[in-house]
Amino acid sequence: MKPLIHPAIEDVPLAAILHALADPVRVALFAEIVAQDCPRSCSRLVSVLDAPIPKSTLSQHLRILREAGLIRGERHGVEMRNASRCPEIETHYPGLLTSIVGAHEIQMDAGKKRASRLARKAARA
Amino acid sequence: MKPLIHPAIEDVPLAAILHALADPVRVALFAEIVAQDCPRSCSRLVSVLDAPIPKSTLSQHLRILREAGLIRGERHGVEMRNASRCPEIETHYPGLLTSIVGAHEIQMDAGKKRASRLARKAARA
DNA sequence: TTCAGTAGTTCTGAATATATGAACAATGGA
DNA sequence: TCCATTGTTCATATATTCAGAACTACTGAA
C-alpha cells in the first residue's frame, strides 16, 4: 500500500485544483466533505452520489482530490477518513473554494427545480 | 465554416466551466480577454502566452471556452473577436469567475517571484 | 476577376488520460 | 487461522487532447 500524497498548496498548480473539481462526481464528493465537519469514509461518501459508482473509480477520484491538495486522507484501521483542507487553501487562494462549492449548490438547486417542474408537468398530462 | 455555438449560461454544466478553465493556456487566454475591455482577436491573444502554440490548438482552446459559455466570438471579416461573458455568468454563479481569475493572478505573481529568486541565486553562484 | 496574403477552422492520427472489472493488501473480529 | 470489510492497484478498453496538414473565408491589389 503506497503512502498517501499530500502536497503543499503552493506546490499545486491552479489547473490541478480546477481539474479536480471539473468533474460532477468529484465536486459532489468534495462538497459533501466540506459540508460535514467530521471526516467522511469512502463508503459513506458513495451514498451522497446520484448514481452508485464502482469502488475502484471512487478510489481514483479521491486520489485526484488528495493530490490536488483539496482533501487530506488518513487511514484508520480498515477505513479511510477524508477531511477538507479548505482553510489552508483559503489563505492561498481566497474565496476560490467557497465560490466553487457555492456554484455547485446553485446548480444542484436548479436541477431539483427543473426536475419538480417536469414532474408536475407529467402529473398534469 | 460551422456557425459558432454560444449556449445559455443555465444550460452549461458547472463541470464544463471548470474544465474549460482547468488548463493553463485557457485560463491565461480567458484572463487576458477579461482584462481587456475590447474584444481580442486570436492572433493578438497568442502573444500573451509564455510559449507560442500552434494556431490549430489555439482554435480548439477558444472553442472550448466558447462552448462553456465563457466567451463570445464574433467573426469580423477575416478575424475573430473574442469578448468575455462575465456579467451573464456573474448573475448565475456570483463570484465564481472573479475568484478563479484572481487565483490565476496570484499564481502568476508567485511564479514571477520564484523565477527572480532563482535568478538572483544563479547570479551569486 | 484572378491572385496572393491573412486569419482561423477542420480533419486526422498519435499521444495521453480516464473508467472499471479483477486481483490484491491491510485490518479487525469470530 | 479464516473470513468479512474497506479500500488500492493493475490491466485494458474507451475517450480526450494535441498539433501538423489541408482547408475555408475574407480582403486588397493587380
Coordinates of all heavy atoms in Angstrom, one line a residue, chain C residues 1-23:
Chain C
dT1 P -16.7 37.5 -62.3 OP1 -16.2 38.3 -61.2 OP2 -18.0 37.6 -62.8 O5' -15.6 37.4 -63.5 C5' -14.7 38.5 -63.6 C4' -13.3 37.9 -63.5 O4' -12.4 38.9 -63.1 C3' -13.2 36.8 -62.5 O3' -12.3 35.8 -62.9 C2' -12.6 37.5 -61.3 C1' -11.7 38.5 -62.0 N1 -11.6 39.7 -61.1 C2 -10.3 40.3 -61.0 O2 -9.4 39.8 -61.6 N3 -10.2 41.4 -60.2 C4 -11.3 42.0 -59.5 O4 -11.1 43.0 -58.8 C5 -12.5 41.4 -59.7 C7 -13.7 41.9 -59.0 C6 -12.7 40.3 -60.4
dT2 P -11.9 34.6 -63.2 OP1 -12.0 34.8 -64.6 OP2 -12.7 33.5 -62.6 O5' -10.4 34.4 -62.7 C5' -9.4 35.1 -63.5 C4' -8.2 35.5 -62.6 O4' -8.5 36.6 -61.8 C3' -7.8 34.4 -61.7 O3' -6.3 34.3 -61.9 C2' -8.1 34.9 -60.3 C1' -7.9 36.4 -60.5 N1 -8.6 37.3 -59.6 C2 -7.9 38.4 -59.1 O2 -6.7 38.6 -59.4 N3 -8.6 39.2 -58.2 C4 -9.9 39.0 -57.8 O4 -10.4 39.8 -57.0 C5 -10.6 37.9 -58.3 C7 -12.0 37.6 -58.0 C6 -9.9 37.1 -59.2
dC3 P -5.6 33.0 -61.4 OP1 -4.9 32.5 -62.6 OP2 -6.5 32.1 -60.6 O5' -4.5 33.6 -60.4 C5' -3.8 34.8 -60.7 C4' -3.3 35.5 -59.5 O4' -4.4 36.2 -58.8 C3' -2.8 34.5 -58.4 O3' -1.4 34.8 -58.2 C2' -3.7 34.7 -57.2 C1' -4.2 36.1 -57.4 N1 -5.6 36.3 -56.8 C2 -5.8 37.4 -56.0 O2 -4.9 38.2 -55.8 N3 -7.1 37.6 -55.5 C4 -8.0 36.8 -55.7 N4 -9.2 37.0 -55.2 C5 -7.8 35.6 -56.6 C6 -6.6 35.4 -57.1
dA4 P -0.6 33.8 -57.2 OP1 0.7 33.6 -57.8 OP2 -1.4 32.6 -56.8 O5' -0.4 34.7 -55.9 C5' -0.2 36.1 -56.1 C4' -0.2 36.8 -54.7 O4' -1.5 37.0 -54.3 C3' 0.4 35.9 -53.6 O3' 1.1 36.7 -52.7 C2' -0.8 35.2 -53.0 C1' -1.8 36.3 -53.1 N9 -3.2 35.9 -53.1 C8 -3.7 34.8 -53.7 N7 -5.0 34.7 -53.6 C5 -5.4 35.8 -52.8 C6 -6.6 36.2 -52.4 N6 -7.8 35.6 -52.6 N1 -6.6 37.4 -51.6 C2 -5.4 38.0 -51.4 N3 -4.2 37.7 -51.8 C4 -4.2 36.6 -52.5
dG5 P 2.0 36.1 -51.5 OP1 3.3 36.7 -51.5 OP2 1.9 34.6 -51.5 O5' 1.2 36.6 -50.2 C5' 0.9 38.0 -50.2 C4' 0.0 38.3 -49.0 O4' -1.4 37.8 -49.4 C3' 0.4 37.5 -47.8 O3' 0.3 38.4 -46.7 C2' -0.6 36.4 -47.7 C1' -1.9 37.0 -48.3 N9 -2.8 36.1 -48.8 C8 -2.6 35.0 -49.6 N7 -3.7 34.3 -50.0 C5 -4.7 35.0 -49.4 C6 -6.1 34.8 -49.4 O6 -6.7 33.9 -49.9 N1 -6.8 35.8 -48.6 C2 -6.2 36.8 -47.9 N2 -7.0 37.6 -47.3 N3 -4.9 37.1 -47.9 C4 -4.2 36.1 -48.7
dT6 P 0.8 37.9 -45.2 OP1 1.8 38.9 -44.7 OP2 1.2 36.5 -45.3 O5' -0.5 38.0 -44.4 C5' -1.4 39.0 -44.6 C4' -2.7 38.7 -43.9 O4' -3.5 37.8 -44.7 C3' -2.5 38.1 -42.5 O3' -3.3 38.7 -41.6 C2' -3.0 36.6 -42.7 C1' -4.0 36.8 -43.8 N1 -4.3 35.6 -44.7 C2 -5.6 35.2 -44.9 O2 -6.5 35.8 -44.4 N3 -5.7 34.1 -45.7 C4 -4.7 33.4 -46.3 O4 -5.0 32.4 -47.0 C5 -3.4 33.8 -46.0 C7 -2.2 33.1 -46.6 C6 -3.2 34.9 -45.2
dA7 P -3.3 38.4 -40.0 OP1 -3.5 39.7 -39.3 OP2 -2.1 37.6 -39.8 O5' -4.5 37.5 -39.8 C5' -5.8 38.0 -40.1 C4' -6.9 37.0 -39.6 O4' -7.0 36.0 -40.6 C3' -6.5 36.3 -38.3 O3' -7.6 36.2 -37.5 C2' -6.0 34.9 -38.8 C1' -6.8 34.7 -40.0 N9 -6.2 33.9 -41.0 C8 -4.9 33.7 -41.3 N7 -4.7 32.9 -42.3 C5 -5.9 32.4 -42.7 C6 -6.4 31.5 -43.6 N6 -5.5 30.8 -44.4 N1 -7.7 31.3 -43.7 C2 -8.5 31.9 -42.9 N3 -8.2 32.8 -42.0 C4 -6.9 33.0 -41.9
dG8 P -7.5 35.7 -35.9 OP1 -8.1 36.7 -35.1 OP2 -6.1 35.3 -35.7 O5' -8.4 34.5 -35.9 C5' -8.1 33.4 -36.7 C4' -9.4 32.7 -37.2 O4' -9.1 32.2 -38.5 C3' -9.6 31.5 -36.3 O3' -11.0 31.2 -36.2 C2' -8.8 30.4 -37.0 C1' -9.0 30.8 -38.4 N9 -7.7 30.5 -39.1 C8 -6.5 30.9 -38.9 N7 -5.6 30.3 -39.7 C5 -6.3 29.5 -40.5 C6 -5.9 28.7 -41.6 O6 -4.8 28.5 -42.0 N1 -7.0 28.0 -42.2 C2 -8.3 28.2 -41.8 N2 -9.2 27.5 -42.4 N3 -8.7 29.0 -40.8 C4 -7.7 29.6 -40.2
dT9 P -11.6 30.0 -35.3 OP1 -12.9 30.4 -34.9 OP2 -10.6 29.6 -34.3 O5' -11.7 28.9 -36.4 C5' -12.6 29.0 -37.5 C4' -12.7 27.8 -38.3 O4' -11.4 27.5 -39.0 C3' -13.0 26.5 -37.5 O3' -14.1 25.8 -38.2 C2' -11.7 25.7 -37.5 C1' -11.1 26.2 -38.8 N1 -9.6 26.1 -38.8 C2 -9.0 25.3 -39.8 O2 -9.6 24.6 -40.6 N3 -7.6 25.4 -39.7 C4 -6.8 26.1 -38.9 O4 -5.6 26.1 -39.0 C5 -7.5 26.9 -37.9 C7 -6.8 27.7 -36.9 C6 -8.9 26.9 -37.9
dT10 P -14.9 24.7 -37.5 OP1 -16.3 24.8 -38.0 OP2 -14.6 24.6 -36.1 O5' -14.3 23.4 -38.3 C5' -14.3 23.3 -39.7 C4' -13.5 22.1 -40.2 O4' -12.1 22.4 -40.1 C3' -13.8 20.8 -39.4 O3' -14.0 19.8 -40.4 C2' -12.5 20.6 -38.6 C1' -11.5 21.2 -39.6 N1 -10.2 21.7 -38.9 C2 -9.0 21.4 -39.5 O2 -8.9 20.7 -40.5 N3 -7.9 21.9 -38.9 C4 -7.9 22.7 -37.7 O4 -6.8 23.1 -37.3 C5 -9.2 23.0 -37.2 C7 -9.2 23.8 -35.9 C6 -10.3 22.5 -37.8
dC11 P -14.6 18.4 -40.1 OP1 -15.8 18.2 -40.9 OP2 -14.6 18.2 -38.6 O5' -13.4 17.4 -40.6 C5' -12.6 17.8 -41.7 C4' -11.3 17.0 -41.8 O4' -10.2 17.6 -41.1 C3' -11.4 15.6 -41.1 O3' -10.8 14.6 -42.0 C2' -10.7 15.7 -39.8 C1' -9.6 16.7 -40.2 N1 -9.1 17.6 -39.0 C2 -7.7 17.7 -38.9 O2 -6.9 17.2 -39.7 N3 -7.2 18.5 -37.9 C4 -8.1 19.1 -37.0 N4 -7.6 19.8 -36.1 C5 -9.5 18.9 -37.2 C6 -10.0 18.1 -38.2
dT12 P -11.0 13.1 -41.8 OP1 -11.1 12.5 -43.1 OP2 -12.0 12.9 -40.7 O5' -9.6 12.6 -41.2 C5' -8.4 13.1 -41.8 C4' -7.2 12.7 -40.9 O4' -6.9 13.7 -39.9 C3' -7.4 11.4 -40.2 O3' -6.2 10.6 -40.3 C2' -7.6 11.8 -38.7 C1' -6.8 13.1 -38.7 N1 -7.2 14.1 -37.6 C2 -6.2 14.8 -37.0 O2 -5.0 14.7 -37.2 N3 -6.7 15.7 -36.0 C4 -8.0 15.9 -35.7 O4 -8.3 16.7 -34.8 C5 -9.0 15.1 -36.4 C7 -10.4 15.2 -36.1 C6 -8.5 14.2 -37.3
dG13 P -6.3 9.0 -40.2 OP1 -6.1 8.5 -41.5 OP2 -7.5 8.7 -39.4 O5' -5.1 8.7 -39.3 C5' -3.8 9.1 -39.7 C4' -2.9 9.4 -38.5 O4' -3.5 10.5 -37.7 C3' -2.7 8.2 -37.5 O3' -1.4 8.2 -37.1 C2' -3.7 8.5 -36.4 C1' -3.6 10.1 -36.3 N9 -4.7 10.7 -35.7 C8 -6.1 10.5 -35.9 N7 -6.9 11.3 -35.2 C5 -6.0 12.2 -34.6 C6 -6.2 13.3 -33.7 O6 -7.3 13.7 -33.4 N1 -5.1 13.9 -33.4 C2 -3.8 13.5 -33.7 N2 -2.8 14.2 -33.3 N3 -3.6 12.5 -34.5 C4 -4.7 11.9 -34.9
dA14 P -0.8 6.9 -36.4 OP1 0.2 6.4 -37.4 OP2 -1.8 6.1 -35.9 O5' 0.1 7.5 -35.2 C5' 0.8 8.7 -35.4 C4' 1.0 9.5 -34.1 O4' -0.3 10.1 -33.7 C3' 1.4 8.5 -32.9 O3' 2.4 9.2 -32.2 C2' 0.1 8.4 -32.1 C1' -0.6 9.8 -32.4 N9 -2.0 9.7 -32.3 C8 -2.9 8.8 -32.9 N7 -4.2 9.1 -32.6 C5 -4.1 10.2 -31.8 C6 -5.2 11.0 -31.2 N6 -6.5 10.7 -31.4 N1 -4.8 12.0 -30.5 C2 -3.5 12.3 -30.4 N3 -2.4 11.7 -30.9 C4 -2.8 10.6 -31.6
dA15 P 3.1 8.4 -30.9 OP1 4.6 8.7 -31.0 OP2 2.6 7.0 -30.9 O5' 2.5 9.2 -29.7 C5' 2.8 10.6 -29.6 C4' 2.0 11.2 -28.4 O4' 0.6 11.0 -28.7 C3' 2.3 10.5 -27.1 O3' 2.5 11.5 -26.1 C2' 1.0 9.7 -26.8 C1' -0.1 10.5 -27.5 N9 -1.2 9.8 -28.0 C8 -1.3 8.7 -28.8 N7 -2.5 8.3 -29.0 C5 -3.3 9.2 -28.4 C6 -4.7 9.4 -28.3 N6 -5.6 8.5 -28.9 N1 -5.2 10.4 -27.7 C2 -4.3 11.3 -27.1 N3 -3.0 11.2 -27.1 C4 -2.5 10.2 -27.8
dT16 P 2.9 11.2 -24.6 OP1 3.8 12.3 -24.2 OP2 3.2 9.8 -24.5 O5' 1.5 11.4 -23.8 C5' 0.7 12.6 -24.0 C4' -0.6 12.4 -23.4 O4' -1.5 11.6 -24.1 C3' -0.6 11.8 -22.0 O3' -1.0 12.8 -21.0 C2' -1.5 10.6 -22.1 C1' -2.3 10.9 -23.3 N1 -2.9 9.7 -24.0 C2 -4.3 9.7 -24.1 O2 -5.0 10.5 -23.7 N3 -4.7 8.6 -24.8 C4 -3.9 7.6 -25.4 O4 -4.4 6.6 -26.0 C5 -2.5 7.7 -25.2 C7 -1.5 6.7 -25.7 C6 -2.1 8.8 -24.5
dA17 P -1.2 12.4 -19.5 OP1 -0.9 13.7 -18.7 OP2 -0.4 11.2 -19.2 O5' -2.7 12.1 -19.4 C5' -3.7 13.1 -19.9 C4' -5.1 12.6 -19.7 O4' -5.3 11.5 -20.6 C3' -5.4 12.1 -18.3 O3' -6.7 12.6 -18.0 C2' -5.4 10.6 -18.4 C1' -5.9 10.4 -19.8 N9 -5.4 9.2 -20.5 C8 -4.2 8.7 -20.7 N7 -4.1 7.6 -21.3 C5 -5.4 7.3 -21.6 C6 -6.0 6.2 -22.3 N6 -5.3 5.2 -22.8 N1 -7.3 6.2 -22.4 C2 -8.0 7.2 -21.9 N3 -7.6 8.3 -21.2 C4 -6.3 8.2 -21.1
dT18 P -7.3 12.5 -16.5 OP1 -8.0 13.7 -16.2 OP2 -6.3 12.0 -15.6 O5' -8.4 11.3 -16.7 C5' -9.4 11.5 -17.7 C4' -10.3 10.3 -17.7 O4' -9.7 9.2 -18.4 C3' -10.7 9.8 -16.3 O3' -12.1 9.8 -16.3 C2' -10.0 8.4 -16.2 C1' -9.9 8.0 -17.7 N1 -8.8 7.1 -18.1 C2 -9.1 6.0 -18.8 O2 -10.2 5.7 -19.2 N3 -8.0 5.2 -19.1 C4 -6.7 5.5 -18.8 O4 -5.8 4.7 -19.1 C5 -6.5 6.7 -18.0 C7 -5.1 7.0 -17.5 C6 -7.5 7.4 -17.7
dA19 P -13.0 9.3 -15.1 OP1 -14.3 10.0 -15.1 OP2 -12.1 9.2 -13.9 O5' -13.3 7.8 -15.6 C5' -14.2 7.6 -16.6 C4' -14.5 6.1 -16.7 O4' -13.3 5.4 -17.0 C3' -15.1 5.5 -15.4 O3' -16.2 4.7 -15.8 C2' -13.9 4.7 -14.9 C1' -13.1 4.3 -16.1 N9 -11.6 4.3 -15.9 C8 -10.9 5.2 -15.2 N7 -9.6 5.0 -15.3 C5 -9.5 3.8 -16.0 C6 -8.4 3.1 -16.5 N6 -7.1 3.3 -16.1 N1 -8.7 2.0 -17.2 C2 -9.9 1.7 -17.5 N3 -11.0 2.4 -17.2 C4 -10.8 3.4 -16.5
dT20 P -17.1 4.0 -14.6 OP1 -18.5 4.0 -15.2 OP2 -16.8 4.7 -13.4 O5' -16.5 2.5 -14.5 C5' -16.6 1.7 -15.7 C4' -15.8 0.4 -15.4 O4' -14.4 0.7 -15.4 C3' -16.1 -0.2 -14.0 O3' -16.2 -1.6 -14.3 C2' -14.8 0.1 -13.2 C1' -13.8 0.0 -14.3 N1 -12.5 0.5 -14.0 C2 -11.3 -0.1 -14.6 O2 -11.4 -1.1 -15.3 N3 -10.2 0.5 -14.3 C4 -10.0 1.7 -13.5 O4 -8.9 2.1 -13.3 C5 -11.2 2.2 -12.9 C7 -11.1 3.5 -12.1 C6 -12.3 1.7 -13.2
dG21 P -17.4 -2.4 -13.6 OP1 -18.6 -2.3 -14.5 OP2 -17.5 -2.1 -12.2 O5' -16.9 -3.9 -13.7 C5' -16.6 -4.5 -15.0 C4' -15.4 -5.4 -14.9 O4' -14.2 -4.7 -14.7 C3' -15.5 -6.5 -13.8 O3' -15.1 -7.7 -14.3 C2' -14.6 -6.0 -12.7 C1' -13.5 -5.2 -13.5 N9 -12.9 -4.1 -12.9 C8 -13.5 -3.1 -12.2 N7 -12.7 -2.2 -11.7 C5 -11.5 -2.6 -12.1 C6 -10.2 -2.0 -11.9 O6 -9.9 -1.0 -11.3 N1 -9.2 -2.8 -12.5 C2 -9.4 -3.9 -13.2 N2 -8.3 -4.5 -13.7 N3 -10.6 -4.5 -13.4 C4 -11.6 -3.8 -12.8
dA22 P -15.1 -9.1 -13.5 OP1 -15.4 -10.2 -14.4 OP2 -15.9 -8.8 -12.2 O5' -13.6 -9.2 -13.0 C5' -12.5 -9.1 -14.0 C4' -11.2 -9.4 -13.3 O4' -10.7 -8.2 -12.7 C3' -11.2 -10.4 -12.2 O3' -10.1 -11.2 -12.2 C2' -11.3 -9.5 -10.9 C1' -10.4 -8.4 -11.4 N9 -10.8 -7.1 -10.7 C8 -12.0 -6.7 -10.3 N7 -12.0 -5.5 -9.7 C5 -10.7 -5.1 -9.7 C6 -10.0 -4.0 -9.2 N6 -10.6 -3.0 -8.6 N1 -8.7 -4.0 -9.4 C2 -8.0 -5.0 -10.0 N3 -8.6 -6.1 -10.5 C4 -9.9 -6.1 -10.3
dA23 P -9.8 -12.4 -11.1 OP1 -9.4 -13.6 -11.9 OP2 -11.0 -12.4 -10.2 O5' -8.6 -11.9 -10.3 C5' -7.4 -11.5 -11.1 C4' -6.5 -10.7 -10.1 O4' -7.1 -9.5 -9.7 C3' -6.1 -11.5 -8.9 O3' -4.7 -11.4 -8.6 C2' -6.9 -10.7 -7.8 C1' -6.9 -9.3 -8.3 N9 -8.0 -8.5 -7.8 C8 -9.3 -8.8 -7.7 N7 -10.1 -7.8 -7.2 C5 -9.2 -6.8 -6.9 C6 -9.3 -5.6 -6.3 N6 -10.5 -5.0 -5.9 N1 -8.2 -4.8 -6.2 C2 -7.0 -5.3 -6.6 N3 -6.8 -6.5 -7.1 C4 -7.9 -7.2 -7.3

